[in-house]
Amino acid sequence: VQLQASGGGLVQAGGSLRLSCAASGLTFSTYVMGWFRQAPGKEREFVAGIAGINWSGGHTYYADSVKGRFTISRDNAKNTVYLQMNSLKPEDTAVYYCAASSGVLTGTSRTYRYWGQETQVTVSS
C-alpha cells in the first residue's frame, strides 16, 4: 500500500491550500481516509476523516479546530482524497499526513493502518 501526499507549501494567513493523497495497493473506496498533522514540539493530531462506501459513504468528521475552514473529500475513481484548507492560520502550520483505515471513521490515529509520507504546510502571519 502506498499513500502519496502532495500540495503542501507556504501561504499567508487567510489563504488556501489543497492537499491531495493518491492511494494505491488497496481497495480505496472501502477505506476510511483521514488527515492528521503534527506541529513542531506537539503530538500528532487528527484533522479530518471521510468514510468509505461500506460505512456511511461520504460521511465526514472534523477536528473542532478546523471545522468550517477545512473540507475533506474523496474521488474513488481516482483513488484520491483531498483536504481543502481555507482561511488558514499560523497555527495550522504543521506536517500533514494522510492515512487509511479499514475500520470505522474515527479520529484515533491507532485505528489507521496505512500512513503516507508528510507534506509540509507553513502559514505565515
Side-chain angles (χ1 to χ4, degrees):
V1 174
Q2 287 192 329
L3 303 176
Q4 183 77 31
S6 61
L10 173 64
V11 65
Q12 288 188 331
S16 299
L17 282 174
R18 188 175 82 153
L19 304 183
S20 300
C21 176
S24 60
L26 75 171
T27 308
F28 178 79
S29 63
T30 67
Y31 275 72
V32 166
M33 298 300 298
W35 287 96
F36 291 78
R37 67 187 182 187
Q38 187 167 17
K42 294 189 177 181
E43 296 288 318
R44 184 170 56 189
E45 65 174 358
F46 172 76
V47 175
I50 186 166
I53 60 173
N54 293 349
W55 301 92
S56 303
H59 181 71
T60 57
Y61 175 45
Y62 296 93
D64 287 344
S65 59
V66 307
K67 205 172 292 183
R69 301 188 297 122
F70 291 11
T71 303
I72 188 171
S73 62
R74 66 191 300 158
D75 185 337
N76 290 332
K78 295 183 178 179
N79 285 5
T80 301
V81 61
Y82 304 98
L83 184 67
Q84 178 66 44
M85 305 185 293
N86 298 330
S87 301
L88 282 161
K89 304 175 180 179
E91 51 264 44
D92 294 317
T93 295
V95 292
Y96 284 69
Y97 302 88
C98 62
S101 167
S102 58
V104 299
L105 176 58
T106 76
T108 304
S109 61
R110 60 181 169 80
T111 67
Y112 289 78
R113 180 176 181 182
Y114 302 111
W115 292 81
Q117 91 289 357
E118 63 193 48
T119 187
Q120 176 71 46
V121 172
T122 303
V123 184
S124 62
S125 57

